[in-house]
Amino acid sequence: MYFTDRGIEELESRRGEEEVSLAWLADKLRAFVDANPEFETPIERLATYLARDEDELED
């Protein structure tokens, strides 16, 4: 198990039943980067990964 899996599991257990919009997620990611600018690159990579179609990821 990766260390990040614990955070993902916590997210799922605390908020897994909620429905959120992508606009809400984008706002949360922006707020996180504003508070933690050292994570700008990983957040950008995550956002790009989530934005792309699965077919695009295989290229």
Side-chain angles (χ1 to χ4, degrees):
M1 172 186 285
Y2 291 104
F3 179 74
T4 54
D5 288 346
R6 287 185 271 179
I8 293 168
E9 288 175 359
E10 180 179 352
L11 172 63
E12 185 176 27
S13 70
R14 288 179 179 240
R15 306 192 75 160
E17 299 299 318
E18 294 179 30
E19 290 186 26
V20 299
S21 70
L22 292 176
W24 176 88
L25 177 59
D27 286 342
K28 288 294 207 177
L29 292 173
R30 283 186 197 101
F32 180 82
V33 170
D34 287 347
N36 303 280
E38 67 274 17
F39 290 102
E40 181 177 6
T41 299
I43 294 299
E44 177 189 4
R45 288 180 182 165
L46 174 61
T48 300
Y49 173 80
L50 294 173
R52 293 197 175 149
D53 196 311
E54 290 176 12
D55 293 338
E56 294 176 37
L57 294 173
E58 293 177 6
D59 294 341

